[in-house]
Amino acid sequence: MSQKRKLLVHIDALYRSALYLTKNENSADDLVQETYLKAFKSLQDDKEIRNVKAWLFRILMNTFINKYRKDKREPSLVDFDSVEAFHESIQEEVVAPSILDGESVLETLVDDDIKMALKALPDDFRMVILLSTVEGFSYKEISKIVNCPVGTVMSRIYRGRKMLKEKLAGYAQKYGFK
Amino acid sequence: MNCNDVRKYLYAFLDDELDVEKNIEVLGHSNICCGCGRRMEKERLLQKRVRETVCEVKAPAYLEQMILKRTEEKPNFFISVVKKLMSERRLVSLAGIAAAIIMTVYFFAIPGNLKKDDFLYLAESKYHDYMMMPQLDLDIRSQDQEVIVEYLRKQTNSSIVLPEIRDNAKLIGAAMSEINGVKVSQVFYMHDGTPVSLMIICKPDSGSEDSKNVDFSGMKEILVDEKVVYYDDKGFCGHCKIMGWKEFGNEYVVVSKLNSDEMIKILKKA
């Protein structure tokens, strides 16, 4: 198998992340193409790449941040005022069990609810959820991919999943769950 | 291990990030505690739903072909000209011009932009350590301003005068880091149970003598040209943000601070 083909086996994984990041099929196409063109260019340097998938995702995330966030003047960074301290949030959950804990609530939600909830997350949180929950990268790998400390990755995963549950709980209420 | 501990380790457990010992403890507790066991199962189910939903997406068939086709494309005219220029004797003079441009851009345009990101990461990293532990990893712990100032002087070759702070805030220590050869000291205060840091960044070209005098004594807010500066109203993860940014003759930069307006709240009015 040629080197290019070896990289292209990850095209589905890269595309689905690109689609959820850009929320637009054309932009996802562009992002994946750009990622591969950069990757192929790097291959010419004969550098040894140990973790090909993580390396490709790093290129994808960097390209997304540099290109798409610049285009949008970085609007997707988390609004400081809407996010309380990480520590406080753990305490909150103790007293506020989620509606999703109820019987058959999760089963009632349709895939579109999950897609909508994911897409509604701020970029930083959506990124780490895609990388951890969907692609199964370790926290250490994610920290290298998104270029931030492991502690930040853990915090974003925690907050991201909490936000996701809150959004899904909102959808569940529409189905009559209380 | 109790329910709170399990809640704390829940995601790390589900993501297979715990060490064996903690893993066994979490498993042990969730086996005997119905509430935690159920919560864990629900969480696992939710992650599975998310994974399955996202994984339904496949790359369109044309995309792979399109990528391969683009890699085989011939470079355009501009690239060909550049390559030709680079391959001839003009290379040396071109390299000289390029180096001059890079140096100019580096010294007059890029440093601030690049370092802001680096410094934010640094600030965020310390702050998250506090959130996760919760404990600040400080190189020196002292409430004595003179001790901290002396420590900073030794580390950075700079004479630093720390700002006056209100009585409800207290100095707790300092930590040193280095980003691309630039020394960064973070002086930490505690205010209302929240760590607040003042970052002092010193350029690496300091001589053996005190080459700088960084004076915060009259500081109420971060001022640039007599105006309060807010670099951004949001941070990388929501926990941190730069409150102000100032360069003094390209010698050092002052950044302040992390959480909300804490830095301003603790400063005494001059």
Side-chain angles (χ1 to χ4, degrees), chain B residues 97-116:
Chain B
I97 294 166
I101 293 169
I102 290 168
M103 297 278 276
T104 309
V105 169
Y106 180 81
F107 284 111
F108 296 104
I110 289 178
N113 292 333
L114 285 181
K115 282 170 194 161
K116 277 170 194 166

Side-chain angles (χ1 to χ4, degrees), chain A residues 4-5 8 11-12 15-16 19-20 29 32-33 36-37 40 74 77-80 83-87 90 93-94 100-104 106-107 109-111 114-115 118 124-125 129-130 133-134 138-139 146-149 151-152 154-158 161-162 164-165 168, chain B residues 4 7-8 10-15 17 38-39 42-43 45-60 62-68 70-72 121 124-125 127-132 134 231-241 258-261:
Chain A
K4 283 180 186 173
R5 291 278 172 203
L8 283 165
I11 195 167
D12 283 338
Y15 181 78
R16 61 190 173 228
L19 186 63
Y20 275 89
D29 276 6
V32 172
Q33 284 187 53
Y36 272 110
L37 292 180
F40 291 161
E74 303 190 12
L77 289 176
V78 183
D79 177 12
F80 176 79
V83 183
E84 326 87 299
F86 176 51
H87 198 66
I90 297 177
E93 211 173 292
V94 176
L100 298 178
D101 292 341
E103 288 300 321
S104 73
L106 199 55
E107 290 80 355
L109 293 169
V110 294
D111 285 356
I114 294 180
K115 286 177 192 169
L118 253 180
D124 290 331
F125 295 118
I129 294 212
L130 289 168
T133 306
V134 181
S138 70
Y139 292 172
V146 298
N147 195 22
C148 70
T152 309
M154 290 170 75
S155 169
R156 286 182 189 170
I157 287 175
Y158 183 92
R161 286 176 180 169
K162 188 166 178 272
L164 188 73
K165 282 199 283 185
L168 289 174
Chain B
N4 277 339
R7 191 170 290 113
K8 196 164 74 180
L10 177 63
Y11 287 135
F13 174 77
L14 291 173
D15 293 332
E17 292 280 341
R38 200 164 44 238
R39 191 174 298 115
K42 287 276 172 196
E43 198 59 55
L45 206 63
L46 176 61
Q47 305 309 326
K48 189 166 169 264
R49 275 294 300 275
V50 171
R51 191 163 41 249
E52 285 172 352
T53 305
V54 177
C55 286
E56 278 174 7
V57 176
K58 304 282 177 215
Y62 60 81
L63 192 57
E64 189 173 318
Q65 291 310 315
M66 203 185 263
I67 291 166
L68 288 171
R70 278 186 68 180
T71 57
E72 287 156 13
Y121 281 132
E124 192 182 59
S125 142
Y127 199 62
H128 274 289
D129 287 348
Y130 176 79
M131 288 300 186
M132 301 300 292
Y231 161 65
D232 213 334
D233 61 355
K234 51 193 180 283
F236 268 69
C237 70
H239 293 146
C240 312
K241 63 177 174 176
L258 310 174
N259 191 13
S260 69
D261 295 340

